[in-house]
Amino acid sequence: MTQHSPVLLVLVLIPLVGSLAVFSLKEAQAKLAKQLSLAVSLIVAVYAIVLLFTFDGGGKRFQYVGSWHWIKAFGVHLSFGVDGIALVLVAMSVLLVPAVILASWNALDSKAGAEELNPAVKRRSVKNYFALLLLLEFFMVCVFTAMDVFLFYVFFEAMLVPMYFIIGSFGGPRRQYAAMKFFLYSLVGGLLMLASVIGLYVTSDVKSFSITTLIAHPLPDNNTQKWLFLGFFIAFAIKAPLVPFHTWLPDAGAEAPAGGAALLVGVLDKVGTFGFLRYCLPLFPAASRWFAPAILILSVIGILYAAFLAIGQRDMKRLVAYTSVAHFGFIGLGIFAFTTQSGTGAVLYMVNHGFSTGALFIVVGLLIARGKSRNVDDYGGVAKVAPILAGLFLVTGLSALALPGLSTFISEFLVLVGTFTRHKGLAVLATTGIILAAIYVLYLYQRTFQGRVNERVTKFRDLNAREILAVAPLLAVIVFLGVYPKPVLDVINPAVKATLHDVGHDKDPAPKYGTAVGGQK
């Protein structure tokens, strides 16, 4: 039955209309472009927060559903809806965008603001940059809310376009190489997914792209299901990225402008892990269970491998990119451990990582804008010159290493505890990633902000009110969710339980505490 709830359609259209409006402005209207972009992003953020608070955690699995015929002959619909998993990711995404816009306010205006000392960047269109941010926000909301598999694929591929231009037109010295590598990797994954989307339609008895219909009619447990799963999984593993499909991210993260990198790693990469939960597990339950052991091993390898690479980095932005590869290992571990705790922790990790790494990329970008270098060795003693910048950097760094009291600790703890009930050895190995995280974060902070004041940083100015305003709300969310995560967990839990039911894991393994009182176990 076609439904016509306009709630999500409005959320989708606001950033699209805003983007077109900013594109239509003249080059001389750069200030108006910034103001309009910020206003549109704030409207979208407020709208999404209202949806978050009005979502009924005990109600239907998918809410705010609206569906309209698109390609009727093949049963393709313009269908939008959210469960708890999608809704929290939408909220995280649209809250990051205003912060990115504020942090990027003067990034392209002058030599003082140009982050990468790249003359070509300074000649680029300011209004086009902010219009691309809004266009990217449109695709981000669409990809999380799409409830038609074919529609999801369209947005999955289309969201590459604005990010390609953000990296290729406004990035660092190797921006074209990084943009092309990002685009080609993602395109290959997208083509594999397209083949699986077509195979899913052909082999399914219901001949529908509706996610709810397909979940209700899973494919038979055979080799076909495994091959189709692989097509989706590889596309999502590239996007996430999971080791060994990660090699595009350090280049893209390093060369993208700081705001673009915050959205790339904070939001776009979450599409991959979201895809595991929304498509791989419920559509291919038997294949998900069959491939889970291998994916768990890859996840643990990614945690350790990326952490060691992060420790050895001298480029700050590449270091942050490698930390994200390690964090995505934790998310993959939580998803494929198939327990309620680990799954809920993985979704919360996706949200927390978006805020944490998004804020970290923004703060790193503000530091680089002052020092005109990404090399850690070119800094030292910044805390003595710019204490507010140092303080914000420290808090964002501590959130990256999952310090208790900050949001990432809750999610990482849930992932490890949930995994331990099924896979003790993998959970123990993954726990060593926490120690490595402390090493690369604190070592980075020590080399850049402590010690003797480097001559390069003696004339640094501290953060102004606009720059503080860009980061402070993100840190407030990190602290709040670290102290009181219950409101978000209440939204996530029912969706995670429904997903685990789809994959055939309705009950968590009972913990074994040894012999109980009275001699009974």
Side-chain angles (χ1 to χ4, degrees):
M1 180 182 294
T2 302
Q3 303 177 61
H4 300 291
S5 174
V7 174
L8 288 178
L9 187 62
V10 173
L11 180 66
V12 164
L13 290 179
I14 293 173
L16 176 61
V17 173
S19 175
L20 296 176
V22 175
F23 271 124
S24 68
L25 297 176
K26 297 179 181 179
E27 293 294 341
Q29 296 176 295
K31 184 176 181 180
L32 178 59
K34 299 173 187 178
Q35 294 170 339
L36 181 58
S37 299
L38 180 60
V40 170
S41 67
L42 289 173
I43 292 171
V44 175
V46 171
Y47 193 103
I49 291 172
V50 171
L51 294 184
L52 185 62
F53 279 102
T54 56
F55 184 85
D56 183 5
K60 294 181 179 180
R61 178 177 181 178
F62 295 100
Q63 299 178 33
Y64 311 124
V65 176
S67 183
W68 298 264
H69 290 295
W70 182 21
I71 308 175
K72 197 169 183 178
F74 294 99
V76 179
H77 291 76
L78 291 172
S79 181
F80 300 97
V82 290
D83 60 358
I85 297 170
L87 183 58
V88 295
L89 291 175
V90 168
M92 179 270 292
S93 304
V94 300
L95 287 173
L96 267 181
V97 175
V100 167
I101 291 175
L102 279 173
S104 306
W105 201 262
N106 294 326
L108 305 173
D109 287 352
S110 63
K111 185 175 181 179
E115 171 190 325
E116 304 291 353
L117 271 186
N118 191 337
V121 172
K122 288 173 276 182
R123 292 196 297 269
R124 298 293 179 178
S125 169
V126 174
K127 60 107 176 177
N128 283 352
Y129 175 75
F130 289 95
L132 286 169
L133 289 179
L134 290 180
L135 183 62
L136 182 61
E137 182 178 36
F138 161 70
F139 287 124
M140 292 188 304
V141 174
C142 287
V143 81
F144 288 129
T145 58
M147 289 193 61
D148 182 282
V149 177
F150 186 83
L151 183 67
F152 171 84
Y153 169 76
V154 171
F155 291 132
F156 182 86
E157 291 289 77
M159 70 191 306
L160 301 178
V161 177
M163 182 53 71
Y164 171 82
F165 284 108
I166 288 173
I167 298 173
S169 298
F170 303 95
R174 301 176 70 243
R175 63 191 185 279
Q176 294 179 350
Y177 166 78
M180 185 59 68
K181 189 174 183 180
F182 158 74
F183 192 85
L184 290 178
Y185 268 67
S186 301
L187 186 63
V188 169
L191 291 175
L192 290 174
M193 187 197 294
L194 177 60
S196 288
V197 169
I198 296 172
L200 180 64
Y201 181 82
V202 171
T203 57
S204 174
D205 294 333
V206 293
K207 295 297 182 290
S208 172
F209 288 107
S210 168
I211 185 68
T212 52
T213 302
L214 290 170
I215 289 175
H217 300 84
L219 296 176
D221 180 7
N222 53 31
N223 288 332
T224 301
Q225 184 181 147
K226 293 175 183 176
W227 283 110
L228 295 178
F229 170 90
L230 280 177
F232 278 88
F233 173 79
I234 293 174
F236 295 142
I238 291 173
K239 180 71 75 176
L242 292 180
V243 173
F245 306 100
H246 68 287
T247 56
W248 63 269
L249 181 61
D251 292 308
E255 299 303 325
L263 293 178
L264 173 66
V265 179
V267 181
L268 265 69
D269 290 355
K270 304 301 185 301
V271 176
T273 48
F274 169 75
F276 293 153
L277 287 162
R278 172 59 64 84
Y279 297 97
C280 287
L281 268 59
L283 297 185
F284 314 106
S288 296
R289 296 191 298 270
W290 197 85
F291 283 107
I295 297 170
L296 290 170
I297 292 172
L298 286 179
S299 297
V300 173
I301 291 173
I303 293 170
L304 303 179
Y305 172 72
F308 279 114
L309 288 178
I311 292 172
Q313 293 302 308
R314 292 295 179 268
D315 184 319
M316 281 187 282
K317 292 175 74 176
R318 288 183 72 89
L319 188 154
V320 177
Y322 275 117
T323 68
S324 294
V325 176
H327 293 153
F328 280 108
F330 280 106
I331 296 172
L333 189 69
I335 292 172
F336 286 93
F338 297 140
T339 69
T340 305
Q341 281 182 317
S342 67
T344 301
V347 177
L348 186 62
Y349 210 135
M350 291 158 69
V351 176
N352 294 335
H353 178 267
F355 289 122
S356 173
T357 303
L360 188 56
F361 260 117
I362 289 173
V363 175
V364 166
L366 295 174
L367 177 63
I368 294 172
R370 287 157 170 77
K372 305 296 185 292
S373 172
R374 303 195 310 237
N375 194 327
V376 175
D377 297 328
D378 290 334
Y379 297 87
V382 177
K384 297 181 178 66
V385 181
I388 298 176
L389 174 60
L392 293 182
F393 192 103
L394 180 60
V395 176
T396 55
L398 292 176
S399 71
L401 64 82
L403 182 76
L406 301 178
S407 60
T408 44
F409 171 77
I410 304 295
S411 45
E412 204 163 273
F413 179 79
L414 287 173
V415 166
L416 291 173
V417 169
T419 302
F420 188 80
T421 60
R422 285 193 188 276
H423 310 280
K424 292 180 175 59
L426 293 177
V428 171
L429 286 174
T431 304
T432 61
I434 300 175
I435 302 171
L436 298 175
I439 294 174
Y440 59 66
V441 170
L442 296 178
Y443 191 35
L444 171 64
Y445 183 80
Q446 181 187 40
R447 287 183 292 173
T448 52
F449 288 91
Q450 300 298 309
R452 183 177 60 84
V453 178
N454 191 298
E455 184 178 351
R456 179 187 288 267
V457 309
T458 53
K459 296 183 180 179
F460 274 18
R461 61 175 177 82
D462 212 344
L463 299 185
N464 59 35
R466 172 185 56 79
E467 293 167 329
I468 294 173
L469 186 59
V471 182
L474 303 181
L475 296 186
V477 173
I478 290 170
V479 173
F480 175 78
L481 293 180
V483 176
Y484 189 61
K486 185 178 184 300
V488 177
L489 291 176
D490 287 344
V491 174
I492 294 172
N493 265 320
V496 170
K497 290 180 179 178
T499 302
L500 291 177
H501 172 76
D502 294 334
V503 83
H505 283 280
D506 296 283
K507 295 182 179 180
D508 293 332
K512 298 178 181 179
Y513 298 108
T515 303
V517 177
Q520 296 181 354
K521 290 188 178 181

